[in-house]
Amino acid sequence: MPELPPSVRGFGVTFKTIFKRVVTEQYPEQADRFPPKPRFHGRHQLNRWADGLEKCIGCELCAWACPADAILVEGANNEDGDRHSPGERYGRVYQINYLRCIFCGLCIEACPTRALTMTNEFELADDNRVDLIFTKEDLLAPLLPGMVAPPHDMVADFDEKDYYAGKVIGATPEQQRSAIDDRVAKEGS
Amino acid sequence: MTIAPGPEQTQTDLVTVVVDDISVRVPKGTLVIRVAEQMGVEIPRFCDHPLLDAVAACRMCLIEIDGNPKPQPACAITVTDGMKVKTQRTSPVAEKAQEGVMEFLLLNHPLDCPICDKGGECPLQNQAMTAGRGESRFEGKKRTFPKPINISAQILLDRERCVSCARCTRFADQIAGDPMLELLERGAQQQVGVADDAPFDSYFSGNTIQICPVGALTSSLYRFRSRPFDLVSTPTTCEHCASGCSLRTDVRRGEITRRLAWDDPEVNEEWNCDKGRFAFKYTHDGRVKTPLIREDGELRPASWPEALDAAARGLAAAGDRVGVLTGGRLTREDAYSYAKFARIVLGTDDIDFRSRPASDEEAQFLAAAVAGRLLGPTYADLDAADNVVMVGLEPEDESPIIMLRLRRAARKAGTRVWGVSPVNTRGLAKVDGTWVPCRAGDEAALLRSALQSGDSPADGSAEAAAVQITRALSTPGAVLLIGERLASVPGALSAAWALAERTGARVGWVPRRAGERGALDAGALAGLLPGGRPLTDPTARAEVARVWGVEPDQLPRYAGRAGSGAIVESASALVLAGIEPDDDPDRSAILAALGSETFVVSIETHHSAVTELADVILPVAVDAERAGSYTDWEGRVRPFGAAITGVSTVTDSRVLAMLADTMDRSIGRGDIGELRSELAALGNWTGSRAAAPDAIPETRVSDGLRLASWRLLLDLGRLQDGEPHLAATARATEALMSPATAAAYGLTDGALVTVTAVGTGSRPRGSVCVALRLDDVAHDTVWLPMNSPGCSVLVDLQSVPGESVLISLEASA
């Protein structure tokens, strides 16, 4: 077979590729078809106990572990009537600066209460710096059915050890009632 | 304290010990743990503390000593000649023993590190890593206690975390002399505790938090505030009193989170008082933020140039009839700037730093005996003295580190302390002092009779006390400590100085506020130029004029007025810095001046009674925001750095420099380096000094009930603003009387009484109503706290200590 000139031979690659499967993912049009892998390191989330109390205790171990100094935490005391987490301490201020975060996941390893985990959400672009500092409100996990927004008391007769032992399965009727009472009191005033 | 061996000691008292196969020679009696420390071998420990007596409670420092069948605690064994010691570095036995002890300590220790304030700076955390096992073998249930419990309003105790090292109980007992903390129960139930009716209301309670090697003791103030890695630490000096404590200030994001006692063996060792540790909230609250100008009776914010211009015009209009009151809280550098500003910009010598009961006799005494003198007597001299006599000074309330040092001197060096005081105080008992009862106002007479006493002992009378004092002061190294309160007793300072001259005792003048000694040395007192130079001495004038770059003629020719009352009455303009009218017996004169035509420039950090009425207010930095220095009562300069950086506040010195520029007279730039080099160039006066005062004590007829008073450590002082937990540990507001006097007035312990001033002339008769407690008090005397909640002697009674008062049972009680 006589040799084709190189200029024509080069098109052979093009022709072969026309009949192969396309590997390009169409983002954002078809983003749903290609979800990230389950263990992908995306945006952080601050988890809740089943009754809605926060798992974060404000210990700052995540901030300590962070190699990029992206996390700021300030703890505070759970007062009577102003309880955000089981036990003595909660995270009053929680901020992650996504301009700094390198998504290494060392904070997740450091968290002693499994309060901090990473979601698969990776769409973290913005046009200004301030909005890329995520605060506690941005990071807290949504309230699922059966959860009551803190501040509220722990499940009656339980202490923080019962929470860690996984005995809490949802907000008790008592907790839900007191949450409604609080809301009524707040709106009434 | 480790005492360095003297020359002859090095010859005879050294022993040879072998530690980890290395032979060393150390002074006899050294603890094994210190020998190892000096060799660079760190033996783990919890209970050991160099300033506390050894107790060997935690057993963490076990080491192997040749000839001993079992491991021994290194913190409690002193070296002997030929001793062979093996630490964990060379001895598997010691290593295993330490590992075993650590395992025991961790058995009941909760896994609280994430929520514990000590996490990150915890000796137990650290040593569990170096000397512990990786995994716990314990499978049982840990012992638990309810947590945390308040052992005082400020101190929280978490008994689960305690390793029973007894540092806190030993501190309370040995150092502070407040043995309210004790180890209770036995075995696994052993716990630190207080009696139900006696909280740990010690003035020194905060130190136990700092020395606790675990997180068992924490403070309400610092609870969950931050982690060690968040903090930027700066070495600072305490601004609360003239003790001069070295502190460490920890700042997180521009806000002070806590202050710790820093190690200075010559001054505060490793301790401080709770006021120095916890009272810093004032730094942030109630600050003056911008310059303010009064216009049509209302204050309005103004720019710096506008405010400076207004101040300059007002001051220039007053000519040389300007008075300067600086208060006792300025740094050395700022007080110097005021002294310089007054003399060469305002052309006045009417300047005084004493915003408290003061007298001309005191000014004369300070010029003769204190201003511009070299260091001394010092804290070390208190240790070395056989006898220390305190007159007009309550050490625990008015200079807490003097109390701690005297207590140590009394316990360890056998120093005998004498307290000439109207009340036999808790502080005096702690220093094992001998109480010399003396009614307020009678100090002068007592010192005068001591001066005149021969060596013939008389007993049972004031005469006997006078002889005792003379004898005590005649012993080698004796120190006479004089409190600032003596200023209000005519003749007392004269007699004290003469007595010291006669007996050879050294005199320590102990002001209460941190800036007083520095202000005195810097020349912020009429008649005194910096370094204790007399204003009227030509050589002194020439020296100062040279450094200030002016002609000696440009300095005021005659000594000005001293005392806030005299200054305020004669001035048509005033420069006020950091003064509270309520601190001054002349408060009504000051308030009247503020409310009148007198033009008032207030250079202030906080809104106060002065800023409410001043014409121009210029805001300045608090200590935490600037560098500076104080001079403590010894005369020791205590520099500090700026703890909070990046704020735009300026110092008093900068404001004065700007104001001087606006008035077309330069006093320099007012930056810290320039001021310090000027102060160094000036140095102390070496020429002849003014004569000591020779005032004669008032002869007082029997005048019924007399008032005694001083400020408690924790009271209504403005620098304690915003700290309710600290305020809750203050001592109760109560009147003190002796049982005999109370009986004579028909009063009993616990009765609610009304103390009424005997008004003189224009002054009204004020009164206070407080509970009465019977105690060791001089006869015909009632003691009241000077400025505590519900009882302000200067404001409510308009009296000063030593004046007569009336007492009656509260009508409604």
Side-chain angles (χ1 to χ4, degrees):
Chain A
M1 195 164 154
E3 284 267 307
L4 288 167
S7 54
V8 178
R9 208 166 50 201
F11 280 101
V13 178
T14 314
F15 278 114
K16 261 191 264 171
T17 308
I18 286 171
F19 303 104
K20 277 193 177 162
R21 251 189 85 209
V22 176
V23 296
T24 309
E25 295 179 2
Q26 291 304 316
Y27 179 85
E29 291 80 5
Q30 298 174 356
D32 295 349
R33 285 179 56 199
F34 308 102
K37 293 283 184 273
R39 293 169 73 181
F40 176 80
H41 283 187
R43 179 180 72 80
H44 299 77
Q45 172 170 287
L46 285 170
N47 299 311
R48 295 177 189 273
W49 296 104
D51 64 354
L53 284 178
E54 293 157 18
K55 284 188 173 179
C56 178
I57 52 169
C59 70
E60 302 194 31
L61 285 183
C62 47
W64 209 337
C66 183
D69 199 7
I71 307 183
L72 173 92
V73 186
E74 277 180 25
N77 197 17
N78 275 318
E79 307 279 351
D80 276 344
D82 187 31
R83 173 172 293 284
H84 296 259
S85 73
E88 293 173 53
R89 178 170 175 153
Y90 77 101
R92 186 176 60 83
V93 174
Y94 199 101
Q95 297 178 359
I96 296 180
N97 183 343
Y98 282 105
L99 293 158
R100 286 188 171 187
C101 178
I102 55 170
F103 300 93
C104 65
L106 288 181
C107 46
I108 308 307
E109 284 181 41
C111 184
T113 62
R114 271 298 199 184
L116 193 66
T117 53
M118 282 171 136
T119 63
N120 291 345
E121 188 189 329
F122 59 88
E123 293 172 313
L124 292 164
D126 215 320
D127 58 2
N128 70 90
R129 288 163 186 273
V130 172
D131 288 347
L132 280 164
I133 298 171
F134 280 46
T135 59
K136 196 172 153 186
E137 293 70 47
D138 305 321
L139 295 167
L140 266 176
L143 286 166
L144 300 179
M147 290 181 177
V148 176
H152 61 74
D153 287 346
M154 284 192 270
V155 174
D157 302 328
F158 275 23
D159 64 10
E160 68 269 28
K161 292 193 181 69
D162 298 312
Y163 279 77
Y164 294 121
K167 292 185 188 167
V168 177
I169 44 165
T172 57
E174 234 175 339
Q175 285 174 311
Q176 284 171 343
R177 246 196 325 275
S178 78
I180 293 166
D181 290 347
D182 284 352
R183 204 161 54 225
V184 171
K186 208 175 272 174
E187 280 162 9
S189 65
Chain B
M1 189 177 70
T2 318
I3 295 158
E8 64 281 5
Q9 237 182 338
T10 46
Q11 301 300 316
T12 54
D13 286 358
L14 288 184
V15 293
T16 306
V17 283
V18 181
V19 179
D20 288 344
D21 304 326
I22 301 164
S23 174
V24 288
R25 285 174 67 74
V26 293
K28 198 173 163 183
T30 315
L31 292 169
V32 172
I33 201 164
R34 302 274 169 276
V35 177
E37 237 166 48
Q38 282 166 26
M39 296 172 63
V41 178
E42 194 176 319
I43 300 173
R45 84 287 301 266
F46 296 107
C47 70
D48 172 66
H49 192 288
L51 299 177
L52 301 174
D53 296 347
V55 65
C58 72
R59 317 305 289 181
M60 192 62 219
C61 62
L62 291 177
I63 41 128
E64 195 183 356
I65 298 174
D66 256 17
N68 267 307
K70 288 180 176 175
Q72 299 293 317
C75 71
I77 305 264
T78 51
V79 290
T80 54
D81 201 29
M83 185 185 261
K84 286 200 173 96
V85 175
K86 285 183 166 178
T87 72
Q88 74 278 6
R89 283 175 72 224
T90 52
S91 157
V93 174
E95 193 181 5
K96 179 132 194 297
Q98 290 174 7
E99 203 184 280
V101 171
M102 179 55 83
E103 193 170 12
F104 268 126
L105 292 179
L106 293 179
L107 282 188
N108 278 321
H109 192 82
L111 195 54
D112 269 355
C113 303
I115 58 161
C116 176
D117 276 337
K118 204 80 175 181
E121 52 182 2
C122 176
L124 182 61
Q125 251 182 350
N126 295 345
Q127 293 179 47
M129 304 297 274
T130 55
R133 309 165 62 92
E135 295 277 324
S136 171
R137 296 184 292 179
F138 183 62
E139 287 169 353
K141 239 182 144 72
K142 290 193 186 226
R143 167 210 59 186
T144 55
F145 288 113
K147 61 198 251 178
I149 56 170
N150 271 94
I151 55 173
S152 76
Q154 184 63 268
I155 313 284
L156 300 163
L157 169 65
D158 187 318
R159 291 165 293 174
E160 292 176 6
R161 297 177 190 159
C162 177
V163 293
S164 301
C165 72
R167 272 190 183 185
C168 54
T169 56
R170 279 179 295 153
F171 170 83
D173 183 27
Q174 295 164 16
I175 306 293
D178 293 315
M180 302 150 180
L181 277 183
E182 202 48 79
L183 281 168
L184 315 170
E185 307 292 344
R186 284 281 173 271
Q189 285 301 312
Q190 185 164 59
Q191 54 186 279
V192 171
V194 289
D196 290 339
D197 54 349
F200 186 43
D201 283 346
S202 166
Y203 281 164
F204 306 95
S205 62
N207 291 294
T208 57
I209 300 170
Q210 194 174 341
I211 59 172
C212 180
V214 295
L217 292 166
T218 52
S219 68
S220 302
L221 181 57
Y222 183 65
R223 188 167 163 82
F224 307 153
R225 288 290 303 279
S226 69
R227 292 277 171 213
F229 64 87
D230 295 318
L231 301 172
V232 179
S233 304
T234 313
T236 53
T237 301
C238 185
E239 74 279 31
H240 287 288
C241 81
S243 292
C245 287
S246 188
L247 301 183
R248 190 185 100 182
T249 302
D250 286 348
V251 171
R252 181 180 195 188
R253 300 208 295 155
E255 204 171 313
I256 302 178
T257 53
R258 65 172 174 183
R259 303 206 302 189
L260 304 174
W262 216 224
D263 184 16
D264 191 333
E266 289 184 320
V267 179
N268 56 319
E269 302 185 294
E270 297 179 26
W271 319 121
N272 74 341
C273 72
D274 283 1
K275 181 152 83 169
R277 184 177 299 264
F278 297 125
F280 55 76
K281 277 284 166 70
Y282 76 92
T283 312
H284 303 289
D285 303 335
R287 295 287 299 278
V288 183
K289 300 229 167 76
T290 61
L292 300 168
I293 295 181
R294 190 170 299 279
E295 223 171 50
D296 305 326
E298 290 293 315
L299 281 178
R300 67 162 174 87
S303 69
W304 273 100
E306 190 186 6
L308 287 169
D309 199 46
R313 270 187 285 115
L315 292 176
D320 62 355
R321 292 181 59 211
V322 185
V324 182
L325 299 180
T326 68
R329 300 232 170 259
L330 295 181
T331 61
R332 202 170 60 107
E333 293 83 2
D334 283 350
Y336 169 74
S337 289
Y338 279 97
K340 189 174 174 185
F341 182 82
R343 270 52 176 265
I344 63 180
V345 179
L346 302 176
T348 179
D349 192 46
D350 291 354
I351 179 168
D352 202 323
F353 65 86
R354 298 169 300 167
S355 166
R356 54 174 171 80
S359 66
D360 289 345
E361 181 194 358
E362 189 198 21
Q364 213 181 333
F365 163 78
L366 294 176
V370 183
R373 295 261 180 187
L374 294 173
L375 182 66
T378 62
Y379 284 112
D381 292 334
L382 300 183
D383 283 346
D386 288 345
N387 286 284
V388 175
V389 178
M390 301 182 295
V391 188
L393 174 71
E394 205 305 296
E396 201 182 13
D397 282 318
E398 298 182 296
S399 192
I401 302 305
I402 291 187
M403 197 291 284
L404 291 187
R405 293 294 294 243
L406 281 178
R407 181 171 164 81
R408 202 192 67 177
R411 287 181 75 237
K412 304 273 180 182
T415 300
R416 187 146 184 216
V417 183
W418 306 77
V420 178
S421 165
V423 184
N424 188 5
T425 60
R426 200 161 115 185
L428 190 60
K430 286 181 187 181
V431 299
D432 207 8
T434 309
W435 180 42
V436 181
C438 177
R439 296 171 75 195
D442 282 353
E443 289 92 346
L446 182 68
L447 291 170
R448 184 64 64 177
S449 71
L451 186 62
Q452 287 156 354
S453 72
D455 277 342
S456 61
D459 32 38
S461 61
E463 197 64 21
V467 174
Q468 278 181 323
I469 290 170
T470 316
R471 284 200 180 152
L473 288 174
S474 305
T475 53
V479 177
L480 175 61
L481 292 179
I482 303 175
E484 65 174 31
R485 263 186 279 144
L486 282 197
S488 54
V489 182
L493 290 166
S494 312
W497 184 243
L499 184 62
E501 298 249 280
R502 193 194 125 188
T503 55
R506 305 184 70 187
V507 174
W509 176 67
V510 186
R512 217 177 50 80
R513 295 193 178 114
E516 295 220 344
R517 179 70 197 266
L520 177 65
D521 289 346
L525 181 63
L528 275 183
L529 292 171
R533 289 175 175 78
L535 179 86
T536 44
D537 186 296
T539 322
R541 292 172 70 89
E543 281 178 11
V544 173
R546 191 171 58 247
V547 174
W548 285 357
V550 294
E551 291 302 315
D553 303 349
Q554 289 171 264
L555 300 177
R557 282 169 199 285
Y558 308 106
R561 297 168 188 84
S564 26
I567 289 177
V568 166
E569 272 162 29
S570 63
S572 47
L574 284 170
V575 178
L576 304 182
I579 71 157
E580 278 290 324
D582 287 355
D583 288 345
D584 215 303
D586 293 316
R587 63 183 284 276
S588 41
I590 296 174
L591 288 172
L594 287 170
S596 72
E597 290 297 297
T598 312
F599 181 77
V600 178
V601 179
S602 169
I603 301 179
E604 253 302 356
T605 55
H606 289 75
H607 290 288
S608 70
V610 170
T611 59
E612 267 174 36
L613 295 166
D615 296 290
V616 177
I617 299 157
L618 302 170
V620 285
V622 292
D623 288 354
E625 297 164 349
R626 43 88 49 94
S629 60
Y630 287 115
T631 309
D632 72 359
W633 68 273
E634 308 164 280
R636 195 190 299 271
V637 174
R638 313 287 291 154
F640 59 89
I644 302 173
T645 51
V647 286
S648 57
T649 47
V650 292
T651 62
D652 293 58
S653 299
R654 274 294 298 146
V655 169
L656 290 176
M658 290 190 288
L659 191 52
D661 288 340
T662 317
M663 295 173 80
D664 285 334
R665 308 264 182 84
S666 177
I667 58 164
R669 300 183 305 277
D671 68 85
I672 193 95
E674 185 189 67
L675 294 167
R676 283 183 178 165
S677 60
E678 276 184 34
L679 277 165
L682 280 162
N684 283 336
W685 175 237
T686 48
S688 63
R689 285 169 176 277
D694 192 20
I696 303 299
E698 283 177 348
T699 42
R700 302 180 63 149
V701 287
S702 175
D703 50 1
L705 196 63
R706 221 182 276 174
L707 173 69
S709 180
W710 57 77
R711 284 163 198 275
L712 294 176
L713 183 76
L714 303 175
D715 61 5
L716 295 176
R718 283 298 305 274
L719 297 190
Q720 298 159 59
D721 280 359
E723 188 35 54
H725 303 302
L726 178 67
T729 65
R731 290 185 186 163
T733 304
E734 52 190 6
L736 302 181
M737 271 176 118
S738 71
T741 311
Y745 285 87
L747 303 169
T748 50
D749 194 54
L752 207 57
V753 295
T754 306
V755 180
T756 312
V758 178
T760 51
S762 59
R763 278 192 317 188
R765 290 161 52 113
S767 69
V768 293
C769 177
V770 285
L772 178 71
R773 185 161 63 82
L774 302 186
D775 205 340
D776 278 353
V777 182
H779 70 91
D780 289 315
T781 295
V782 59
W783 179 91
L784 290 174
M786 189 91 131
N787 188 30
S788 290
C791 177
S792 173
V793 168
L794 293 175
V795 178
D796 299 336
L797 288 186
Q798 307 229 4
S799 289
V800 292
E803 291 184 341
S804 297
V805 287
L806 306 170
I807 194 165
S808 61
L809 205 59
E810 170 66 13
S812 60

